[in-house]
Amino acid sequence: MHDTWRLRAQAAIRTSMILGACALASSTAAHEYHPISPTLANQTIILTGNDLTIAQVIQVARYGAKVKFSPEAKRRNLDTFNLMNEGAAEGIPIYLFNRNSGAGREVVRFKGDPMSPENRPKLEAQALDEFRNGSDESDEHGPEFMDEASVRAMMVIRANQMSYMAASPAMMQGLIDLINADITPVMRSRAGTGEAEGPSAGAMNAAMVGAGEAYLHGVRMLASEALQHAGLRPIQPGPGDNTMDTVNSDVARPLRDFGRRRAPLSRVGRPCIRNGSQWHE
């Protein structure tokens, strides 16, 4: 009798161990990171801000095609960047730059030329601090994206729209460098609400300055190490770069349409600039 119960108990323990091992294996498999297959790494997509298609997003996001800005996109960005700084120097109120946001939009952040010896160091320090604090490490935004292609889709769409923004040239190139080096920030957020990209942009910003964690060719490491291995240096964000996540990148659309090559993304998240402030079309 005792032998029978002992045998039954041993069988029950073995069954529990097997089921537990299967559950653990299933959980591990479900949370395995899926890096891209860079079969198109020898191709380059030109970002003009006007004619990016879903097919091109897929080429970059899934298959590692490189990206670069057209001369016109670079010129448009530089003109907008200079316009914002010139406007601030002339005392023009610019939302989120020399003025606060929301209910505090009439509160002055700084006065005068943002590139002056008095203002520039403080503004660059503020931008760098916010970039460093942008890593998407909190689980409040949901589980981590385990498909590298999804995050790269957000990155290339954001890069495409940035030529219409008052981002510094260093920030523009920093995002391009991440994409081309296959450095993908660890990301949990699914963009933000309303007009803001929110934490999804913050994770990209953090990686540009070597903060937080990132994947290099599918291997997880500190973002600072990923930059070093790729031969890149952390960027110094310019004055106002810490406000460049307040436009709608519409990242939900490429994720929803991923794999369906239909409508162009020529105007996804493309903002208008008026006196350095960001408006929607």
Side-chain angles (χ1 to χ4, degrees):
M1 183 69 173
H2 292 295
D3 290 341
T4 301
W5 282 109
R6 185 171 61 254
L7 291 174
R8 288 180 178 177
Q10 291 174 348
I13 291 172
R14 285 195 297 269
T15 301
S16 297
M17 292 176 64
I18 293 172
L19 291 174
C22 290
L24 179 61
S26 176
S27 175
T28 301
H31 293 83
E32 182 180 356
Y33 189 72
H34 303 293
I36 65 168
S37 177
T39 56
L40 298 180
N42 61 338
Q43 298 187 19
T44 300
I45 303 297
I46 307 298
L47 300 180
T48 67
N50 293 315
D51 51 12
L52 182 66
T53 66
I54 288 179
Q56 290 174 324
V57 171
I58 291 174
Q59 290 171 11
V60 176
R62 283 185 176 169
Y63 304 115
K66 303 292 193 296
V67 291
K68 71 176 183 179
F69 289 111
S70 68
E72 295 78 12
K74 288 184 177 181
R75 169 51 58 185
R76 182 170 59 240
N77 161 252
L78 186 59
D79 289 345
T80 305
F81 179 70
N82 290 336
L83 175 64
M84 181 181 72
N85 288 293
E86 290 169 8
E90 294 173 6
I92 298 174
I94 302 175
Y95 185 72
L96 280 178
F97 189 42
N98 59 3
R99 296 295 187 272
N100 284 338
S101 62
R105 60 189 176 276
E106 296 182 4
V107 177
V108 176
R109 280 186 166 183
F110 69 90
K111 294 181 179 181
D113 185 355
M115 293 298 183
S116 69
E118 295 79 18
N119 284 327
R120 183 170 184 173
K122 292 185 291 185
L123 295 174
E124 288 185 342
Q126 290 172 6
L128 180 58
D129 185 59
E130 291 194 32
F131 270 49
R132 286 172 173 166
N133 292 327
S135 58
D136 197 7
E137 297 176 352
S138 173
D139 58 5
E140 66 178 310
H141 303 130
E144 180 186 331
F145 275 101
M146 301 311 290
D147 288 306
E148 183 181 16
S150 296
V151 179
R152 284 176 58 86
M154 296 186 206
M155 295 170 73
V156 67
I157 291 171
R158 187 187 186 204
N160 187 57
Q161 65 163 315
M162 283 179 69
S163 65
Y164 290 90
M165 298 167 64
S168 71
M171 184 180 181
M172 293 264 292
Q173 189 59 47
L175 183 54
I176 292 293
D177 288 342
L178 291 184
I179 296 170
N180 290 343
D182 191 16
I183 297 176
T184 306
V186 172
M187 189 179 296
R188 294 177 175 82
S189 64
R190 272 67 177 162
T193 58
E195 66 180 16
E197 292 176 311
S200 61
M204 301 178 208
N205 295 349
M208 283 188 247
V209 298
E213 292 183 302
Y215 292 91
L216 174 63
H217 307 313
V219 179
R220 187 167 181 158
M221 63 186 70
L222 294 176
S224 57
E225 296 177 350
L227 292 176
Q228 184 178 10
H229 288 313
L232 299 173
R233 299 181 63 182
I235 71 165
Q236 168 58 63
D241 278 350
N242 49 317
T243 70
M244 293 300 121
D245 58 351
T246 55
V247 294
N248 184 0
S249 66
D250 197 8
V251 293
R253 179 179 174 186
L255 296 180
R256 184 178 66 244
D257 290 341
F258 223 47
R260 302 204 299 264
R261 306 184 182 197
R262 302 190 304 179
L265 290 173
S266 60
R267 299 173 73 84
V268 168
R270 195 178 97 180
C272 291
I273 305 294
R274 180 180 178 183
N275 289 339
S277 298
Q278 295 149 6
W279 303 75
H280 294 292
E281 289 187 325

